Amino acid sequence: MEFRYLGNSGLKISEIIYGNWLTHASQVENDAANATIHAALDAGISSFDTADAYANTAAEVVLGDALKGERRESLEIFTKVYWPTGPGGKNDTGLSRKHIMESINGSLTRLGTDYVDLYQAHRFDYETPIEETMQAFADIVRQGKALYIGVSEWNADQIRAGHKLAKELGFQLISNQPQYNMLWRVIEQEVVPTSEELGLSQIVFSPIAQGVLTGKYLPGQPAPEGSRATDEKGGKNMIARWLRDDILTAVQSLKPIADELGLTQAQLAVAWVLQNPNVAGAIVGASRPEQIASNAAAAGVKLEASVLAKIDEALGSLAETDPTLTQSPETRVA
C-alpha cells in the first residue's frame, strides 16, 4: 500500500480507501461486511470512509464493530454530515449548528471512537449560513471530536468561501470528496485547480463508475444477474446513465490496455484516478473480500503518458467534462 498526504496537512492516508456506502447494512450481511473490512486491513488499507446517512446510520455501526480491537492510532476514520438521519425531522438534516453538533456525537457513538480523523460536509447547504456551518466545524475541531475537516461535492466557489472562513476561524479545509472516474471528469476544470491553489486534496468516490469500468457490462446484452445494474435497492438507477451501448463498447476497448499492463480493468480504472496529483485517495467498496484485495493492488501503479493517451482515445468524447454538471439525484447520498 502507498500513502499520500491529505491536502496541506500532515495527515497521511492510504491511496485506497475502504468505503461502505452501498454495502454495509444494506446489500451484504454483517458477517460478510466484517470479513471484507478485515481483508482491507490485510491489504494495507488504513483509511475508512462512511457517513451517518448510509443505511440511516447503520453503516457506521457495522464499520465501528468491525474495527473494534484494531489500534485506533493506526487508522484514519472518515464520516460525514448533511443528509437526513433518524426520523427525518425538521432539524435532522443540513449543516445547521444543531444538526452538526448532534450528528458528530451520534457518529462517534456508533463508530465506537472518541474522534474521527476527518469530518466532512456531505453536500453544500444552501439554507444555512456558511458562517454558522464553519463555526460549528471549528468548535468540533477544538473539542477534539474531529482532527480535520473536509467537504464533499462542493464546487470551486463553495470551496473558496469555506476555505476563507475556516482560515479566519483557525482551522483549514483539507479535502473534497467528489465523484471522479474516466467517464466523469467534471472536477478537472475548476475544482481541482482551486483545490491545488488552496491546499485541498480530492478523496474520490466511484472510481470504477459503479462497476461499469470493470467491463462486465456488455453492449447489447442484459446486465449480469446479481450485478448493481439489476439491484433496485443497491444502485440500478445510479448506474443507468452509463449503460448505453456506445459507452459499453468504448469500455470494452480498454481491456487490451489493461491486459498489456497486467491489470484488471477495475485496477486500471482505480490507477487512472490516482494519476491525478490532486487525488489523495480513491474510495472503493466491496461485497466480498477478494474484491477489495484486487482493487488494493492498484495502489502504487504508475501509468505512462502513452497509456493515458490510449485511454482518452478509447473513450473519445464520451467522458463528461462540463464543470456545471451536478450529480444526478440518484447519487445524492454518495
Side-chain angles (χ1 to χ4, degrees), residues 24-83:
H24 295 184
S26 176
Q27 283 184 330
V28 300
E29 298 296 329
N30 288 1
D31 287 347
N34 186 73
T36 305
I37 290 171
H38 283 272
L41 291 165
D42 291 342
I45 293 172
S46 62
S47 303
F48 295 83
D49 180 81
T50 187
D52 58 2
Y54 296 167
N56 196 17
T57 73
E60 287 183 326
V61 175
V62 174
L63 180 61
D65 287 346
L67 293 177
K68 282 180 180 176
E70 299 296 324
R71 182 176 182 268
R72 178 64 183 88
E73 295 83 355
S74 299
L75 305 173
E76 302 84 47
I77 299 176
F78 314 155
T79 193
K80 311 182 196 75
V81 57
Y82 172 81
W83 293 110

Side-chain angles (χ1 to χ4, degrees), residues 82 95 121-126 128 130 152-155 158 161:
Y82 172 81
L95 297 178
H122 208 158
R123 289 297 186 273
F124 186 82
D125 188 347
Y126 291 93
T128 300
I130 191 173
S152 177
E153 291 282 61
W154 283 27
N155 65 35
Q158 292 161 353

Side-chain angles (χ1 to χ4, degrees), residues 167-208:
K167 190 174 182 181
E168 291 172 358
L169 291 165
F171 73 101
Q172 62 176 336
L173 293 183
I174 65 169
S175 64
N176 177 50
Q177 186 177 130
Q179 180 173 199
Y180 184 52
N181 55 59
M182 294 177 185
L183 295 171
W184 189 265
R185 308 185 188 188
V186 300
I187 65 170
E188 291 181 344
Q189 292 189 42
E190 296 180 0
V191 168
V192 166
T194 298
S195 297
E196 289 175 334
E197 174 193 344
L198 300 178
L200 285 77
S201 294
Q202 309 303 312
I203 298 171
V204 303
F205 69 87
S206 196
I208 58 175

Side-chain angles (χ1 to χ4, degrees), residues 235-256:
K236 181 178 180 180
N237 290 336
M238 289 174 279
I239 200 172
R241 68 170 175 242
W242 288 319
L243 294 181
R244 305 191 330 244
D245 279 356
D246 57 343
I247 290 177
L248 298 182
T249 299
V251 169
Q252 289 303 307
S253 68
L254 298 175
K255 189 177 187 304

